[in-house]
Amino acid sequence: MADLGAIGDTFQIAKNTNMVAYANPRAGRGGTPPYQRTKYTLSGNVKNDANANASRRVVAYLRRNGEFVGHATSDPTTGNWSIGTPYNEEHDIVCLDDTAGTTYNDLIHRATPV
């Protein structure tokens, strides 16, 4: 797996398709079980090969052991997505290509909440 850039950098999802990934702290949610508390948020923006905002499935895994953390679908209008996480450590963010049009490789990006 390649290191495709720093947090906040734009990187290719597939040929001419870009995603920007950010990791930001977020206040915890009171009243939820400890295993569901999300103290941090991983968020970003997805753009297609025409540099327009795009809807894609984005999945987060804990980097140290591959544990599934959560998933989201980016907004088709804004391209924005966010996934809550209780972990203040490195995550792998996977953006999956859609099934329409040209088939591109999925993209993986490393992100750490700040």
Side-chain angles (χ1 to χ4, degrees):
M1 182 176 348
D3 183 0
L4 300 173
I7 296 170
D9 284 351
T10 300
F11 60 96
Q12 278 197 332
I13 290 173
K15 183 178 177 186
N16 298 322
T17 304
N18 298 312
M19 178 173 86
V20 180
Y22 300 96
N24 301 306
R26 179 175 132 180
R29 297 179 185 158
T32 55
Y35 62 86
Q36 292 180 356
R37 290 190 185 138
T38 58
K39 187 174 181 181
Y40 303 94
T41 300
L42 302 163
S43 63
N45 179 269
V46 179
K47 294 191 180 290
N48 64 18
D49 56 358
N51 204 32
N53 295 323
S55 177
R56 299 288 187 274
R57 183 178 165 120
V58 180
V59 185
Y61 299 93
L62 194 56
R63 184 161 177 79
R64 72 175 145 89
N65 62 7
E67 177 186 341
F68 171 81
V69 174
H71 67 89
T73 300
S74 60
D75 184 273
T77 304
T78 65
N80 295 336
W81 60 269
S82 68
I83 299 170
T85 177
Y87 305 106
N88 185 19
E89 56 187 279
E90 268 192 319
H91 290 70
D92 286 327
I93 309 299
V94 180
C95 185
L96 304 174
D97 186 32
D98 63 357
T99 56
T102 304
T103 301
Y104 296 120
N105 289 329
D106 301 330
L107 202 81
I108 301 172
H109 182 75
R110 292 166 80 161
T112 305
V114 292

